[in-house]
């Protein structure tokens, strides 16, 4: 009986932040280790970074962050190209706007046979910037010919990419984010001790960045506080918008009603 071939897969991600990071780790852990040798290259800076190597995956750190940084981009393309040529990957699977662009260029230069693009959202950081949105759209359309397949995390995301003319619907497969439910055992509701015990709580769990619409949440808080006695707000997550949220809450005089809980696993 012929031994099945082992495929070498490299995941490349801008960061391990938020749902992108948990989805990435879940995908890697789900692959059959007898059929796939899986490695990851990503920009560091979030707590989930430390989970990949203990899970048995080789981690290649990248000097990569969100936003447009030309010198950093050139260095990242060169490092990824060298890694891909050295390790002879069969598949490169990219996540995030910046990593998705740079890793596809590197994979094309290194002649990687298959490139899969995971679409976690539309490709721009600032939803109010027409210039940034236009530039990302042009780049993504230009890279479409060297992208073999797309995976969208929702039907909405898939429709966005098709509507903007970046790729055709036949090349997009919708695969929703998954959670390992055994990490969340059933248990009866309990009253959480602390400042919010017995009080109504409004919570959000996300990467704290502008495109999440968190400014709407903060601006609405004074009205909610006025109408719901004792209400508290629980903000779970980290991100670049956190200093603004704290400063704005201070200006509105509502900071004492908010618990910034940071990253949670």
């Amino acid at each position: 009986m012929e031994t099945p071939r082992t495929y070498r897969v490299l995941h490349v991600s801008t960061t391990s932040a938020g749902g992108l990071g948990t989805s990435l780790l879940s995908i890697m852990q789900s692959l059959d280790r007898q059929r796939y040798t899986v490695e990851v290259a990503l920009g560091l800076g979030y707590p989930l970074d430390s989970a990949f190597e203990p899970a048995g995956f080789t981690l290649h750190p990248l000097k990569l962050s969100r936003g447009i940084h030309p010198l950093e981009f050139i260095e990242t393309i060169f490092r990824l190209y060298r890694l891909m040529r050295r390790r002879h990957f069969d598949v490169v699977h990219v996540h995030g706007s910046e990593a998705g662009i740079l890793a596809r260029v590197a994979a094309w230069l290194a002649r990687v046979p298959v490139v899969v693009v995971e679409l976690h959202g539309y490709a721009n950081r600032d939803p109010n910037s027409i210039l940034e949105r236009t530039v990302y759209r042009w780049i993504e359309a230009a890279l479409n010919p060297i992208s073999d397949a797309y995976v969208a995390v929702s039907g909405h995301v898939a429709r966005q990419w098709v509507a903007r003319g970046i790729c055709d619907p036949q090349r997009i497969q919708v695969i929703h984010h998954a959670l390992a439910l055994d990490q969340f055992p059933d248990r009866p509701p309990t009253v959480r001790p602390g400042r919010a015990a017995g009080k109504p709580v409004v919570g959000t769990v996300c990467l704290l960045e502008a495109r999440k619409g968190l400014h709407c949440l903060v601006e609405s808080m004074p009205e909610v506080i006025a109408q719901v006695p004792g209400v508290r707000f629980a903000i779970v997550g980290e991100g670049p918008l956190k200093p603004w949220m704290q400063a704005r809450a201070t200006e509105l005089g509502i900071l004492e009603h908010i618990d910034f809980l940071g990253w949670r696993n």
Side-chain angles (χ1 to χ4, degrees), residues 77-89:
I77 290 173
F78 180 69
R79 292 190 62 186
L80 286 172
Y81 166 77
R82 291 184 61 187
L83 173 64
M84 293 173 189
R85 291 286 289 179
R86 185 173 70 251
R87 303 289 285 173
H88 303 290
F89 292 104

Side-chain angles (χ1 to χ4, degrees), residues 34-91:
Q34 294 184 338
R35 295 197 59 196
Y36 301 97
T37 299
V38 187
E39 303 180 22
V40 61
L42 56 81
L44 303 181
Y46 286 87
L48 197 63
D49 298 344
S50 61
F52 290 91
E53 290 183 315
F57 303 112
T58 300
L59 171 64
H60 304 279
L62 296 176
K63 185 180 178 182
L64 185 59
S65 57
R66 288 179 165 173
I68 299 175
H69 311 284
L71 293 179
E72 181 181 286
F73 286 0
I74 294 171
E75 178 184 348
T76 299
I77 290 173
F78 180 69
R79 292 190 62 186
L80 286 172
Y81 166 77
R82 291 184 61 187
L83 173 64
M84 293 173 189
R85 291 286 289 179
R86 185 173 70 251
R87 303 289 285 173
H88 303 290
F89 292 104
D90 300 291
V91 179

